[in-house]
Coordinates of all heavy atoms in Angstrom, one line a residue:
L122 N 168.6 140.4 303.0 CA 167.3 140.6 302.6 C 166.5 141.4 303.6 O 166.8 141.3 304.8 CB 166.6 139.2 302.4 CG 167.1 138.3 301.3 CD1 166.4 137.0 301.3 CD2 167.0 139.0 300.0
A123 N 165.5 142.1 303.2 CA 164.6 142.9 304.1 C 163.2 142.7 303.7 O 162.8 142.8 302.5 CB 165.0 144.4 304.0
A124 N 162.4 142.4 304.7 CA 160.9 142.2 304.5 C 160.3 143.6 304.9 O 160.5 144.1 306.0 CB 160.4 141.1 305.4
T125 N 159.6 144.2 303.9 CA 159.0 145.5 304.2 C 157.6 145.6 303.7 O 157.0 144.7 303.1 CB 159.8 146.6 303.3 OG1 159.4 146.6 302.0 CG2 161.3 146.4 303.4
D126 N 157.0 146.7 304.0 CA 155.6 147.0 303.6 C 155.5 147.3 302.1 O 154.4 147.4 301.6 CB 155.0 148.1 304.4 CG 155.7 149.4 304.3 OD1 156.9 149.4 304.0 OD2 155.1 150.5 304.5
A127 N 156.6 147.4 301.5 CA 156.7 147.7 300.0 C 157.3 146.6 299.2 O 157.8 146.8 298.1 CB 157.5 149.0 299.8
G128 N 157.3 145.4 299.8 CA 157.9 144.2 299.2 C 159.1 143.7 299.8 O 159.6 144.1 300.9
L129 N 159.7 142.7 299.1 CA 161.0 142.0 299.5 C 162.1 142.7 298.8 O 162.0 143.0 297.6 CB 161.0 140.6 299.2 CG 162.2 139.8 299.6 CD1 162.4 139.7 301.1 CD2 162.1 138.4 299.0
F130 N 163.2 143.1 299.5 CA 164.3 143.7 298.9 C 165.6 143.0 299.2 O 165.7 142.3 300.3 CB 164.4 145.2 299.5 CG 163.4 146.1 298.9 CD1 162.1 146.1 299.4 CD2 163.7 146.9 297.8 CE1 161.2 147.0 298.9 CE2 162.7 147.7 297.3 CZ 161.5 147.8 297.8
R131 N 166.6 143.1 298.3 CA 167.8 142.4 298.4 C 169.0 143.4 298.3 O 168.9 144.3 297.4 CB 167.9 141.3 297.3 CG 169.2 140.5 297.4 CD 169.2 139.5 296.2 NE 170.3 138.6 296.2 CZ 171.5 138.9 295.6 NH1 171.8 140.0 295.0 NH2 172.5 138.0 295.7
S132 N 170.0 143.2 299.1 CA 171.2 144.0 299.0 C 172.4 143.0 298.7 O 172.5 142.0 299.3 CB 171.5 144.8 300.3 OG 172.8 145.4 300.2
A133 N 173.2 143.4 297.8 CA 174.4 142.6 297.4 C 175.7 143.3 297.9 O 176.8 142.8 297.6 CB 174.5 142.4 295.9
D134 N 175.5 144.4 298.7 CA 176.7 145.1 299.2 C 176.6 145.3 300.7 O 177.0 146.4 301.2 CB 176.9 146.4 298.5 CG 175.7 147.3 298.5 OD1 174.8 147.1 299.3 OD2 175.8 148.3 297.8
G135 N 176.1 144.3 301.5 CA 176.0 144.4 302.9 C 175.0 145.4 303.5 O 175.0 145.7 304.6
G136 N 174.0 145.8 302.7 CA 172.9 146.6 303.1 C 173.0 148.1 302.7 O 172.2 148.9 303.1
L137 N 174.0 148.4 301.9 CA 174.2 149.8 301.5 C 173.2 150.3 300.4 O 172.7 151.4 300.5 CB 175.6 150.1 301.1 CG 176.7 149.9 302.1 CD1 178.1 150.1 301.6 CD2 176.5 150.8 303.3
T138 N 172.9 149.4 299.5 CA 172.0 149.7 298.4 C 171.0 148.5 298.3 O 171.4 147.4 298.6 CB 172.6 149.9 297.1 OG1 173.4 148.8 296.7 CG2 173.6 151.1 297.1
W139 N 169.8 148.8 297.8 CA 168.7 147.8 297.8 C 168.0 147.7 296.5 O 167.8 148.8 295.8 CB 167.7 148.1 298.9 CG 168.4 148.0 300.3 CD1 169.0 149.0 300.9 CD2 168.4 146.9 301.1 NE1 169.5 148.5 302.1 CE2 169.1 147.2 302.3 CE3 167.9 145.6 301.0 CZ2 169.3 146.3 303.3 CZ3 168.1 144.7 302.0 CH2 168.8 145.1 303.2
S140 N 167.6 146.5 296.1 CA 166.8 146.3 294.9 C 165.6 145.4 295.2 O 165.7 144.5 296.0 CB 167.6 145.6 293.8 OG 168.8 146.3 293.4
P141 N 164.4 145.7 294.6 CA 163.3 144.9 294.9 C 163.5 143.5 294.3 O 164.1 143.3 293.3 CB 162.1 145.6 294.2 CG 162.8 146.5 293.2 CD 164.2 146.8 293.7
V142 N 162.9 142.5 295.0 CA 162.9 141.1 294.5 C 161.5 140.8 294.0 O 160.5 141.0 294.6 CB 163.2 140.1 295.7 CG1 163.1 138.7 295.2 CG2 164.6 140.4 296.3
S143 N 161.5 140.4 292.7 CA 160.2 140.1 292.1 C 159.7 138.8 292.7 O 160.4 137.8 292.7 CB 160.4 140.0 290.6 OG 159.2 139.6 290.0
L144 N 158.4 138.8 293.1 CA 157.8 137.6 293.7 C 156.5 137.4 292.9 O 155.7 138.3 292.7 CB 157.4 137.8 295.1 CG 158.6 138.0 296.1 CD1 158.1 138.4 297.5 CD2 159.5 136.7 296.1
A145 N 156.3 136.2 292.3 CA 155.1 135.9 291.6 C 154.0 135.6 292.5 O 153.7 134.4 292.9 CB 155.4 134.7 290.6
T146 N 153.2 136.6 292.9 CA 152.1 136.5 293.9 C 150.7 136.4 293.2 O 149.8 136.0 293.8 CB 152.1 137.6 294.8 OG1 151.8 138.8 294.1 CG2 153.4 137.8 295.6
G147 N 150.7 136.8 291.9 CA 149.4 136.8 291.2 C 148.7 138.2 291.3 O 147.6 138.4 290.8
F148 N 149.4 139.1 292.0 CA 148.8 140.5 292.1 C 149.9 141.5 291.6 O 151.1 141.2 291.7 CB 148.5 140.8 293.6 CG 147.4 140.0 294.1 CD1 147.6 138.7 294.7 CD2 146.1 140.4 294.0 CE1 146.6 138.0 295.2 CE2 145.0 139.7 294.5 CZ 145.3 138.4 295.1
A149 N 149.4 142.6 291.1 CA 150.3 143.6 290.4 C 151.1 144.4 291.5 O 152.3 144.7 291.2 CB 149.5 144.6 289.6
A150 N 150.5 144.7 292.6 CA 151.2 145.5 293.6 C 152.2 144.7 294.3 O 152.1 143.5 294.5 CB 150.2 146.1 294.5
A151 N 153.2 145.4 294.9 CA 154.2 144.7 295.7 C 153.6 144.2 296.9 O 152.7 144.9 297.5 CB 155.3 145.7 296.1
P152 N 153.9 143.0 297.4 CA 153.3 142.4 298.6 C 153.8 143.1 299.9 O 154.8 143.8 299.9 CB 153.8 141.0 298.5 CG 155.1 141.0 297.8 CD 154.9 142.1 296.8
Y153 N 153.1 142.9 300.9 CA 153.5 143.3 302.3 C 154.2 142.0 302.8 O 153.6 141.0 303.1 CB 152.3 143.6 303.1 CG 152.7 144.3 304.4 CD1 152.3 145.6 304.7 CD2 153.3 143.6 305.4 CE1 152.6 146.2 305.8 CE2 153.6 144.2 306.6 CZ 153.3 145.5 306.8 OH 153.6 146.2 308.0
V154 N 155.6 142.1 303.0 CA 156.3 140.9 303.4 C 156.5 141.0 304.9 O 157.0 142.1 305.5 CB 157.7 140.9 302.7 CG1 158.5 139.6 303.1 CG2 157.5 140.8 301.2
W155 N 156.2 140.0 305.6 CA 156.3 139.9 307.1 C 157.5 139.3 307.6 O 158.1 139.8 308.6 CB 155.0 139.2 307.6 CG 153.8 140.0 307.6 CD1 152.9 140.0 306.6 CD2 153.4 141.0 308.5 NE1 151.9 140.9 306.9 CE2 152.2 141.5 308.1 CE3 153.9 141.4 309.7 CZ2 151.5 142.5 308.8 CZ3 153.3 142.4 310.4 CH2 152.1 142.9 310.0
D156 N 158.0 138.2 307.1 CA 159.0 137.4 307.7 C 159.9 136.7 306.7 O 159.4 136.4 305.6 CB 158.4 136.3 308.6 CG 159.2 135.9 309.7 OD1 160.3 136.5 310.0 OD2 158.9 134.8 310.3
I157 N 161.1 136.5 307.0 CA 162.1 135.8 306.2 C 162.8 134.7 307.0 O 163.1 134.9 308.2 CB 163.2 136.8 305.7 CG1 162.6 138.0 305.0 CG2 164.2 136.1 304.7 CD1 163.6 139.1 304.8
A158 N 163.0 133.6 306.4 CA 163.7 132.5 307.1 C 164.8 131.9 306.1 O 164.5 131.7 304.9 CB 162.8 131.4 307.5
S159 N 166.0 131.8 306.6 CA 167.0 131.2 305.8 C 166.8 129.7 305.7 O 166.4 129.0 306.7 CB 168.4 131.4 306.4 OG 169.4 130.7 305.7
T160 N 166.9 129.1 304.5 CA 166.7 127.7 304.4 C 168.0 127.0 304.0 O 168.0 125.9 303.5 CB 165.6 127.4 303.3 OG1 166.0 128.0 302.1 CG2 164.2 127.9 303.7
G161 N 169.1 127.7 304.2 CA 170.4 127.2 303.9 C 171.1 127.9 302.8 O 170.5 128.4 301.8
A162 N 172.4 128.1 302.9 CA 173.2 128.9 302.0 C 172.6 130.2 301.6 O 172.4 131.0 302.5 CB 173.5 128.0 300.7
T163 N 172.2 130.4 300.4 CA 171.6 131.7 300.0 C 170.1 131.4 299.5 O 169.6 132.1 298.7 CB 172.4 132.3 298.8 OG1 172.5 131.4 297.7 CG2 173.7 132.8 299.3
S164 N 169.5 130.5 300.1 CA 168.0 130.2 299.9 C 167.2 130.7 301.1 O 167.6 130.5 302.2 CB 167.8 128.7 299.6 OG 168.5 128.3 298.5
F165 N 166.0 131.2 300.7 CA 165.2 131.8 301.8 C 163.7 131.5 301.5 O 163.4 131.3 300.4 CB 165.4 133.3 301.9 CG 166.8 133.8 302.1 CD1 167.7 134.0 301.1 CD2 167.2 133.9 303.4 CE1 169.0 134.3 301.3 CE2 168.6 134.3 303.7 CZ 169.4 134.5 302.6
A166 N 162.9 131.6 302.6 CA 161.5 131.5 302.5 C 160.9 132.7 303.1 O 161.5 133.3 304.0 CB 161.0 130.3 303.2
V167 N 159.8 133.3 302.5 CA 159.2 134.5 303.1 C 157.7 134.2 303.3 O 157.1 133.4 302.6 CB 159.4 135.7 302.1 CG1 160.8 136.0 301.9 CG2 158.7 135.5 300.8

Side-chain angles (χ1 to χ4, degrees):
L122 293 177
T125 79
D126 61 335
L129 179 66
F130 286 82
R131 181 182 187 272
S132 174
D134 58 10
L137 298 177
T138 60
W139 296 87
S140 299
V142 175
S143 177
L144 298 171
T146 64
F148 294 88
Y153 192 112
V154 182
W155 284 95
D156 204 14
I157 306 167
S159 173
T160 58
T163 56
S164 296
F165 301 89
V167 300

